Amino acid sequence: MKKIAVIPARYSATRFPGKLMQQLGDKTVIRMTYDNVVATNLFDDVFVVTDSDIIYNEIVSNNGKAIMSIKNHETGSDRIAEAIENIDCDIILNVQGDEPFVNYKALSDILSSFDGEIGKTVDVATLKESIIKDEDINNSNFVKVVTDYNDFALYFSRSPIPFSREINFSPKYFRHIGIYAFRKDALLRFSKLSMRQNETAEKLEQLRYLEYGMKIKVIETESIGIGIDTPEDLEKAKIYLSSIA
């Protein structure tokens, strides 16, 4: 199967405008993300897809590949669907531009979801990591996911799920990591479907797949570092980068 990686990148992020152009070490956040994905050597090609001239120029001026998004889109998946519609590929991996510490193992694990007999039933694959701190479990910027016994997603939410009714029972909680791999036909189908209630309420595009009956495989992985949603996250990322340098 031909595999490509696409990184959707908006400049005007709601919670932290311009975050992808913030400096992290000797690179911008978006360039660090792009370079780390390329360095895995898992893909036939890697692109940034953006509606911003600033981000486009940041990538191409550093010998990367970028595509300008033509239309306005509600979600990153819609933006990617437009970009890859005429590209010859089977699997598209979507890495969020604000996940600069993405690594080989995490991406390799997610791509392996499409292997074997069960893999034939997978429309989308994504990642999760265990979280135990109450501040993370209750943080609406940390999207939680619950799965069935075959690790297919049942639901994603900004609220803590599952809700623990029993005082003496402590369920496991998992944070969803916003990295996806799609079959091309599933992604193109997604882009033609309208939002329904759950996606509209939670503002989580992955719920559209579930609401229309598509299957999302969720792979548990170790931490891939710090995603950058807020200025505070950027400061944490700088400290994290210093610790692994």
Side-chain angles (χ1 to χ4, degrees):
M1 293 186 292
K2 185 174 181 181
K3 305 177 181 71
I4 65 171
V6 182
I7 305 168
R10 293 178 63 245
Y11 186 83
S12 55
T14 303
R15 288 189 294 273
F16 188 3
K19 67 181 180 179
L20 298 184
M21 289 299 295
Q22 297 296 312
Q23 202 70 19
L24 186 56
D26 60 354
K27 298 179 181 180
T28 58
V29 171
I30 186 60
R31 188 177 159 210
M32 180 173 288
T33 304
Y34 178 86
D35 287 351
N36 283 346
V37 174
V38 171
T40 66
N41 292 315
L42 288 168
F43 304 99
D44 295 284
D45 229 332
V46 180
F47 305 93
V48 168
V49 179
T50 184
D51 56 0
S52 164
D53 290 332
I54 295 171
I55 292 174
Y56 180 90
N57 291 332
E58 168 69 3
I59 296 301
V60 298
S61 66
N62 286 287
N63 301 312
K65 295 183 178 181
I67 299 171
M68 282 296 294
S69 181
I70 299 171
K71 303 174 184 177
N72 292 322
H73 295 290
E74 290 288 337
T75 71
S77 292
D78 290 314
R79 185 172 290 110
I80 290 174
E82 176 205 306
I84 60 87
E85 186 169 8
N86 297 313
I87 293 177
D88 178 25
C89 59
D90 301 293
I91 302 295
I92 302 101
L93 188 129
N94 167 357
V95 179
Q96 299 299 325
D98 58 9
E99 293 280 0
F101 301 108
V102 66
N103 56 58
Y104 175 91
K105 186 178 186 308
L107 300 190
S108 179
D109 286 347
I110 197 171
L111 292 174
S112 71
S113 299
F114 298 93
D115 297 338
E117 287 303 308
I118 290 181
K120 294 177 182 178
T121 70
V122 175
D123 295 300
V124 182
T126 191
L127 298 172
K128 66 180 180 181
E129 66 176 353
S130 176
I131 52 174
I132 57 175
K133 295 180 180 178
D134 287 342
E135 63 186 274
D136 294 337
I137 294 167
N138 292 295
N139 185 343
S140 63
N141 290 325
F142 275 35
V143 176
K144 276 67 70 175
V145 59
V146 289
T147 58
D148 68 13
Y149 70 100
N150 281 322
D151 293 319
F152 283 98
L154 294 171
Y155 196 69
F156 299 83
S157 182
R158 297 186 184 278
S159 298
I161 51 173
F163 172 77
S164 183
R165 183 178 178 184
E166 298 295 330
I167 296 175
N168 296 324
F169 179 72
S170 298
K172 291 183 178 180
Y173 290 93
F174 292 93
R175 172 201 172 206
H176 174 230
I177 298 173
I179 299 172
Y180 302 90
F182 314 91
R183 292 193 187 278
K184 184 177 181 180
D185 58 349
L187 179 59
L188 294 179
R189 180 186 169 199
F190 168 95
S191 69
K192 295 176 174 62
L193 297 170
S194 60
M195 287 189 188
R196 297 180 65 84
Q197 172 183 290
N198 294 335
E199 181 186 5
T200 302
E202 299 254 21
K203 293 295 183 282
L204 298 174
E205 65 190 78
Q206 59 269 42
L207 292 175
R208 194 185 313 177
Y209 291 95
L210 296 184
E211 290 185 280
Y212 283 97
M214 287 186 268
K215 301 192 73 172
I216 303 177
K217 184 77 169 181
V218 186
I219 304 297
E220 185 174 357
T221 190
E222 296 178 358
S223 175
I224 60 168
I226 296 166
I228 299 172
D229 287 313
T230 65
E232 292 77 17
D233 291 335
L234 180 63
E235 295 309 309
K236 292 177 184 178
K238 290 177 180 178
I239 294 170
Y240 178 77
L241 181 62
S242 298
S243 73
I244 63 174

